[in-house]
Amino acid sequence: MKYPITLDALEVLDAIARKGSFAAAANELFRVPSAISYTVQKLEQDLDVVLFRKEGRKAVLTEAGKVLLEQGREILDATERLAIATKKTHSGWEPVFNIAIDSILNFDFIYPLIAKFYEVLPDIEINIYEEVLGGAQEAITSNRADLAIGAGAEPTPNQGIKYQKIRQIEWLFTVAPGHELTQASLPLSRQLIEQHRFIVVRDSSMNQAPQSRRIFSKRPVLSVPSVAEKINALCSGLGVGFFTGPPDSGVARTRPAYRTAGRKCNTDRNLPHGLENNQ
């Protein structure tokens, strides 16, 4: 018996559903849009169903399409696991190594280590993901990652996860040059800080409630997708926020004090002025 539902067709459906259009799916799959349209039309014809409907410029799944994609993704995941298990049996090593790194860390440290890893196992595929707040923790506990660097808390017991503390992070309360708080007397009071909007990076957790930390303001926050964009927003004067201080900054642990990071926002977007806060 010939089955009309192929892995290729399921991958096409998945790409359209995630990207929202046939053209975007074609771009992701490195195909021409006509090939994507043909795959969908052929599948609809073979199954005698309608899988997508147009809503403006977006391609939206019908109820039949949702059922097919939901179970189809399970098939795609199972196929990937089967391929990995087969390769592992052949070589004795996992063919893919997924690493989740928290956005508060500079990624430069990982590349020399990967270079050494490739000297031993050059054929392993390595995927590096940036995670925020609870994202790194969730990545390792949900098996989305094989290694998480920068998780903020120890995993709960009985999860079969090895945990090693790296170092304690110093946090600096930071404002743009010319911000009114640079003229305030130190130490800053919490009441004064609460008057200003905080800029935060969104938690990347997928299956748990998003976390938020070091927000001392009663005003609505400005949420951005990355640390780089947090710096851009702060340098644009849109709010204030906490950033990690360098390990060798030598900032005092006892009381807040001004610290100049060296370069200004309007040159290379580095952090301008920081006020230490170890809370």
Side-chain angles (χ1 to χ4, degrees):
M1 179 178 179
K2 184 177 180 181
Y3 295 98
I5 303 175
T6 63
L7 293 177
D8 180 72
L10 292 176
E11 288 178 342
V12 169
L13 258 64
D14 175 65
I16 297 172
R18 286 186 292 101
K19 294 297 182 179
S21 71
F22 284 41
N27 184 58
E28 179 176 281
L29 298 174
F30 302 101
R31 304 184 192 182
V32 295
S34 59
I36 300 297
S37 298
Y38 174 79
T39 299
V40 175
Q41 291 170 3
K42 181 70 166 59
L43 186 56
E44 289 180 328
Q45 184 179 26
D46 290 342
L47 295 176
D48 193 23
V49 298
V50 176
L51 299 173
F52 288 96
R53 67 174 185 274
K54 282 285 187 179
E55 288 187 2
R57 296 185 177 181
K58 292 194 66 177
V60 180
L61 285 166
T62 63
E63 290 303 314
K66 291 178 182 178
V67 171
L68 177 58
L69 182 58
E70 181 181 354
Q71 298 188 35
R73 281 173 171 165
E74 294 179 3
I75 294 173
L76 291 173
D77 290 342
T79 303
E80 182 179 5
R81 290 194 299 271
L82 176 61
I84 290 174
T86 303
K87 291 180 180 180
K88 181 180 179 182
T89 301
H90 174 73
S91 65
W93 292 93
E94 294 276 3
V96 180
F97 186 30
N98 296 315
I99 305 173
I101 303 178
D102 194 282
S103 61
I104 64 173
L105 299 177
N106 189 315
F107 282 30
D108 290 348
F109 77 93
I110 197 68
Y111 300 123
L113 300 177
I114 291 177
K116 293 181 179 179
F117 184 90
Y118 280 148
E119 291 176 3
V120 180
L121 298 169
D123 298 323
I124 301 296
E125 176 184 332
I126 296 178
N127 297 314
I128 299 177
Y129 303 94
E130 184 176 39
E131 299 287 352
V132 181
L133 290 173
Q137 181 79 12
E138 183 186 271
I140 194 69
T141 56
S142 65
N143 294 320
R144 195 164 74 238
D146 303 299
L147 173 66
I149 304 175
E154 290 192 41
T156 55
N158 303 322
Q159 289 185 315
I161 299 171
K162 294 182 179 179
Y163 173 89
Q164 180 177 339
K165 186 174 181 179
I166 302 175
R167 65 181 175 90
Q168 183 174 342
I169 297 294
E170 299 283 359
W171 290 96
L172 298 177
F173 178 70
T174 309
V175 299
H179 191 280
E180 61 183 275
L181 285 178
T182 62
Q183 305 302 318
S185 299
L186 296 178
L188 298 178
S189 68
R190 182 160 182 156
Q191 184 179 15
L192 182 60
I193 292 174
E194 287 178 348
Q195 299 175 18
H196 299 272
R197 175 182 292 105
F198 270 69
I199 305 169
V200 300
V201 184
R202 283 192 295 273
D203 191 331
S204 60
S205 301
M206 298 180 181
N207 302 311
Q208 63 183 20
Q211 300 180 15
S212 60
R213 298 173 187 167
R214 288 168 292 278
I215 300 177
F216 300 154
S217 177
K218 298 177 181 178
R219 301 182 62 183
V221 301
L222 170 60
S223 179
V224 295
S226 67
V227 172
E229 291 308 315
K230 181 177 178 179
I231 294 173
N232 288 337
L234 185 139
C235 289
S236 298
L238 299 178
V240 301
F242 282 96
F243 289 88
T244 56
D248 58 351
S249 62
V251 291
R253 295 171 180 263
T254 56
R255 53 175 301 184
Y258 269 116
R259 189 182 71 90
T260 301
R263 288 168 284 188
K264 295 183 179 179
C265 284
N266 58 7
T267 56
D268 65 356
R269 292 302 195 188
N270 206 345
L271 300 183
H273 296 86
L275 304 170
E276 187 196 10
N277 187 299
N278 293 312
Q279 295 183 0

